[in-house]
Amino acid sequence: MLPFLVALQFLTRLPVRLPYMPSPAEQGRSLIWYPVVGLLLGCLLLAGRWLGAGLPVSVLAALLVGLWVALSGALHLDGLADTLDAWIGGYGDRERTLAIMKDPSSGPMGVTGLVLVLLVKYAALVSVIEANLWWALLLAPWIGRALLPLLLWTTPYVRRGGLGEALSLNLPRGRLLPVLLAHGLGMLLVGGGAWLALLGALGLLWVWRRMLLARLGGTTGDTAGALVDPAEALVMILLIWINLPAIS
C-alpha cells in the first residue's frame, strides 16, 4: 500500500501522509501505481464536471483546467516549462541543455509553452463538455500518467542524483509490463475511440523518446514530466476528432 501512497503524494496535491520514509525499492514500486493515480484524477475531473453541470460551458471548462492544475500541483507543467527553455536555449548541445534545465526560473519559451498547452486543453474541454464526451476526462489523465513508467522503463536516466534516478534504478521491470497491459485493456474497454487516443499517446511517446535520445542520450525527471500535459491534450483532441460524426 505504501508505494501507492508514494505515487499519490508525488503526483497530486491530495492530503497524503506517509507512515515512514519510503525506501528506494518502495519508491521504484510506486511507478506501478502511476496509472491508478491517473485514473483517480480522471474520476475527480468527472466529479467536477457533473458538479458544475449548470454552469456555462466556457466557465466550466476554465474551472476544470484550474482543478486539473490544482490536483497535480502543476508538477508536469513545471517540467514542461523547464524542458522547453532548455531545449530552445541549449542549441542542440547536451550539457548546455541539461544545465539550463536545472535553472528554477522560467524563460519566455517555457511560459509561452505553458500558455499554449493550457489554451489547447481549455478549448478541448469546451468541446468535450458540449458533446458530453465524459470518457475523455477519464482517459486523458489515465493515459498521461501511464506513459511515465513506460518512458522510464525504456529510456536511460541521464541526470545523476536527479529526482527520478531512484525511481528509474528501482523500477520493478518484471511487474511493469503486465500492469501496463492490464491498464491498456481497461482503457480500451472504455470505448468511444479509446484505441485511437491510446495509439496517439504511444506515438507521441515514441517521437519524444527519439528526440530525448538524440539530444540527451536519455531522459530526466523534467523531460519525463514534460510529456504528460501534451499527451493529455492530444488524447482529448483525438477523442473529439473520432467522435465528430456523432457530435454532428
Side-chain angles (χ1 to χ4, degrees), residues 48 54 79 138 167 172 177 182 193 205 217 236 245:
L138 190 68
L167 297 175
L177 181 58
L205 169 66
M236 288 193 290

Side-chain angles (χ1 to χ4, degrees), residues 150-248:
L150 187 54
L151 177 65
L152 291 173
W153 180 34
T154 59
T155 313
Y157 195 85
V158 297
R159 190 185 293 285
R160 186 171 299 278
L163 183 61
E165 185 180 32
L167 297 175
S168 179
L169 291 177
N170 294 280
L171 195 158
R173 287 166 170 76
R175 295 175 55 190
L176 186 59
L177 181 58
V179 168
L180 290 178
L181 288 175
H183 279 282
L185 178 59
M187 294 167 189
L188 293 176
L189 291 176
V190 172
W195 63 270
L196 180 62
L198 188 54
L199 282 177
L202 290 173
L204 179 63
L205 169 66
W206 182 79
V207 171
W208 185 227
R209 181 178 179 275
R210 285 181 61 88
M211 291 174 64
L212 291 176
L213 290 173
R215 171 72 72 92
L216 304 176
T219 188
T220 68
D222 281 330
T223 57
L227 177 65
V228 175
D229 278 274
E232 290 174 333
L234 178 62
V235 165
M236 288 193 290
I237 290 169
L238 290 174
L239 290 173
I240 293 167
W241 179 72
I242 200 171
N243 286 283
L244 277 177
I247 295 172
S248 303

Side-chain angles (χ1 to χ4, degrees), residues 13-198:
R13 287 300 175 264
L14 296 175
V16 176
R17 185 182 295 274
L18 301 179
Y20 58 88
M21 181 63 67
S23 67
E26 288 169 326
Q27 292 180 46
R29 288 200 298 274
S30 71
L31 284 163
I32 291 178
W33 293 95
Y34 278 25
V36 176
V37 174
L39 179 58
L40 174 61
L41 290 175
C43 291
L44 293 174
L45 289 173
L46 275 177
R49 186 261 178 271
W50 286 325
L51 286 172
L55 294 171
V57 170
S58 59
V59 174
L60 180 54
L63 290 175
L64 285 176
V65 170
L67 177 62
W68 209 327
V69 173
L71 287 172
S72 65
L75 173 67
H76 307 305
L77 288 171
D78 179 66
L80 178 62
D82 289 343
T83 299
L84 287 173
D85 282 334
W87 210 265
I88 303 299
Y91 298 112
D93 180 75
R94 179 183 186 273
E95 298 306 321
R96 180 177 172 84
T97 301
L98 289 172
I100 295 174
M101 211 176 293
K102 291 181 68 176
D103 188 340
S105 61
S106 291
M109 290 308 303
V111 174
T112 301
L114 295 188
V115 171
L116 289 175
V117 168
L118 291 175
L119 181 61
V120 170
K121 292 181 83 168
Y122 166 78
L125 281 169
V126 169
S127 296
V128 164
I129 296 166
E130 287 179 337
N132 195 29
L133 302 178
W134 59 266
W135 56 93
L137 290 173
L138 190 68
L139 285 170
W142 191 4
I143 292 175
R145 278 146 194 83
L147 295 180
L148 288 173
L150 187 54
L151 177 65
L152 291 173
W153 180 34
T154 59
T155 313
Y157 195 85
V158 297
R159 190 185 293 285
R160 186 171 299 278
L163 183 61
E165 185 180 32
L167 297 175
S168 179
L169 291 177
N170 294 280
L171 195 158
R173 287 166 170 76
R175 295 175 55 190
L176 186 59
L177 181 58
V179 168
L180 290 178
L181 288 175
H183 279 282
L185 178 59
M187 294 167 189
L188 293 176
L189 291 176
V190 172
W195 63 270
L196 180 62
L198 188 54

